[in-house]
Amino acid sequence: MATQMSSSHRSNELGVHSLDHFALAVPSLDEAQRYFEVFGLETRPEGSSLAIRTVGSTQRWGLLIEGSRKRLHHLSFGIFEDDLKPFKTRIAERGIRRLDPPAGIDSDGLWFHNPDGTLIELKVARKSSPDEKCTPELISSPPGQAGAPKRSAAPRVIPSRLSHCLTFTRDVPAMIAFYTQVLGLRLSDRCGDDIAFMHGIHGSDHHLIAFCRSNAPGLHHSSWEVRSINDLGQGAMQMAEKGYTQGWGLGRHVLGSNYFHYIRDPWGSHAEYSCDMDYIRAGERWEARDHPAEDAFYVWGPNPPADWTHNHEADPR
Ligand SMILES: [Fe+2]
């Protein structure tokens, strides 16, 4: 498979360039389809599963697989074609057992487990993480003109891309070590052993994957970039009008700096509208710090829901 060589490709270092997609098992594909389409995404059948795309893009950012319960099925990371062989060597040298692709998934990628037992794929793919920071849009009306649309004419919010996933893990330090040493990601920031954020070495958002301590693996949320802070509020309205009223926002995070609005899905995880996350360029050294959680969670916003860090995959309720 041919892949575009990005201007940000750092050929002297080995690391994944993107979170290519996440895969989630859900008990009802119909419910999942409705939720993600109301959120502003597109779905299309892919075998017996559903691919999640952004409008106007061919990138498969997510895969929904029918299962008995909600469960993080796998995470797929994009790599440059030149890096395939070095990754094979690295995986072999570390004694990591290569696996066949899961049943029903057509793939020539490299499959193995992370320390939690979650399936990971490395695949040659287009770099889907951005090569530069996306500047948010602020359209201000000139004097003498009304800026806001009528409520009935407000445009539908359409996210532009997947930004990151936050996953639960039994062991945050083990995840930092694994994703650093095997996938070649770098730590961006952490709060002790409770939460950590990692970025790609070829240029990516402040985090394309993050970890939150729990008693089992799982997906906390997928995060999707929108163009403006206005879109965060508009997106939340779009979801509320169709019955998706639970979540958390509007607010601003400290680590990553993004403005956020999270909407809870039917199974207790969330999709996040995100805007203006910090960006780390290829080759840029970001000083990873260990922050006290009480001063690093969010700058402003409502109090998070009481069960915000509850892992519904470990303990459905
Ligand atoms: Fe997030």
Side-chain angles (χ1 to χ4, degrees):
M1 179 184 173
T3 182
Q4 290 177 349
M5 185 63 75
S6 164
S7 58
S8 62
H9 184 194
R10 294 180 59 73
S11 56
N12 57 335
E13 293 178 87
L14 186 60
V16 302
H17 57 58
S18 306
L19 174 60
D20 186 78
H21 69 269
F22 67 99
L24 190 64
V26 289
S28 166
L29 286 182
D30 287 345
E31 275 192 71
Q33 180 178 32
R34 181 173 185 274
Y35 170 82
F36 282 105
E37 290 194 352
V38 174
F39 191 77
L41 301 167
E42 292 182 339
T43 61
R44 66 171 57 197
E46 196 171 293
S48 58
S49 305
L50 276 179
I52 305 175
R53 294 187 182 190
T54 41
V55 175
S57 167
T58 57
Q59 173 76 28
R60 180 181 69 183
W61 301 107
L63 189 64
L64 299 164
I65 300 167
E66 190 132 32
S68 57
R69 61 187 177 86
K70 195 270 280 189
R71 181 176 70 85
L72 176 60
H73 187 278
H74 68 259
L75 293 169
S76 177
F77 293 86
I79 62 173
F80 294 114
E81 192 167 22
D82 290 355
D83 291 341
L84 179 61
K85 197 171 167 196
F87 265 119
K88 282 182 181 171
T89 303
R90 179 184 279 180
I91 290 165
E93 284 175 351
R94 292 188 168 270
I96 296 168
R97 189 162 68 93
R98 293 258 306 274
L99 304 167
D100 291 331
I105 301 224
D106 183 23
S107 162
D108 56 3
L110 311 178
W111 292 84
F112 49 92
H113 284 133
N114 74 10
D116 270 332
T118 299
L119 267 178
I120 303 294
E121 179 192 30
L122 303 189
K123 63 180 274 193
V124 175
R126 178 185 73 91
K127 184 175 184 285
S128 54
S129 61
D131 282 337
E132 56 190 33
K133 181 162 180 176
C134 313
T135 306
E137 193 176 77
L138 174 62
I139 300 174
S140 181
S141 62
Q145 285 185 25
K150 288 181 190 164
R151 184 162 164 173
S152 60
R156 181 170 173 254
V157 172
I158 296 171
S160 58
R161 64 180 173 87
L162 176 68
S163 168
H164 61 270
C165 285
L166 171 61
T167 61
F168 291 112
T169 176
R170 296 185 189 95
D171 190 338
V172 170
M175 284 295 160
I176 296 171
F178 178 83
Y179 281 82
T180 302
Q181 294 161 13
V182 180
L183 273 69
L185 295 176
R186 287 216 183 96
L187 182 66
S188 306
D189 285 292
R190 70 192 294 172
C191 296
D193 292 345
D194 290 332
I195 191 158
F197 304 89
M198 301 192 78
H199 64 274
I201 62 171
H202 303 288
S204 83
D205 285 342
H206 172 273
H207 48 282
L208 48 77
I209 189 77
F211 311 106
C212 178
R213 185 156 64 105
S214 177
N215 58 350
L219 178 71
H220 182 277
H221 71 263
S222 59
S223 178
W224 303 83
E225 183 173 272
V226 292
R227 290 169 307 165
S228 67
I229 294 167
N230 183 71
D231 276 1
L232 301 175
Q234 193 70 52
M237 283 294 287
Q238 179 172 305
M239 294 298 276
E241 283 169 0
K242 299 295 184 185
Y244 302 108
T245 55
Q246 291 183 282
W248 182 38
L250 175 72
R252 189 181 195 191
H253 282 302
V254 175
L255 305 182
S257 306
N258 57 312
Y259 301 88
F260 63 82
H261 211 310
Y262 297 85
I263 313 294
R264 182 174 162 140
D265 71 19
W267 305 284
S269 44
H270 294 77
E272 175 186 21
Y273 293 114
S274 171
C275 184
D276 202 28
M277 177 174 277
D278 293 334
Y279 183 81
I280 302 172
R281 288 175 292 196
E284 192 162 38
R285 284 288 171 177
W286 178 276
E287 186 185 351
R289 294 191 177 148
D290 190 350
H291 304 257
E294 64 276 12
D295 199 28
F297 188 17
Y298 60 109
V299 187
W300 54 263
N303 293 329
D307 64 346
W308 181 243
T309 54
H310 182 79
N311 183 353
H312 291 264
E313 295 181 39
D315 177 22
R317 57 180 177 186

